[in-house]
Amino acid sequence: MCTVTLEYDQNNALARRKLSALLATGLFRCKEESTAAPSAEAVEKHRELRDAALLHSRKSMSHVIARYL
């Protein structure tokens, strides 16, 4: 199954009619996006990964940075 994302002016009557006609064929369906906030565990995991990446980046780039200081 493929996903197609459409953007349209919700105030445009023609765009709304065309979209309704497209959905009325039954060949397509509307799928709502979930915008749930990440859990506290996910946020903490992301922070840990970010901090580890920054620490590693500083160590691996220290010789390059030192050359320009």
Side-chain angles (χ1 to χ4, degrees):
M1 175 136 326
C2 296
T3 300
V4 176
T5 303
L6 299 174
E7 291 184 19
Y8 63 97
D9 181 3
Q10 64 186 7
N11 298 320
N12 186 326
L14 179 60
R16 288 194 319 265
R17 281 196 308 266
K18 293 291 185 180
L19 181 58
S20 294
L22 189 64
L23 293 172
T25 63
L27 297 172
F28 303 94
R29 63 185 170 134
C30 186
K31 180 179 173 185
E32 297 295 326
E33 282 190 40
S34 63
T35 56
S39 67
E41 291 176 1
V43 170
E44 184 60 31
K45 180 83 171 169
H46 179 265
R47 285 184 184 144
E48 289 174 6
L49 289 172
R50 179 198 61 200
D51 292 344
L54 289 174
L55 181 63
H56 179 69
S57 174
R58 286 185 205 121
K59 286 180 181 177
S60 64
M61 293 296 293
S62 62
H63 67 283
V64 176
I65 295 169
R67 188 177 345 159
Y68 293 103
L69 291 180

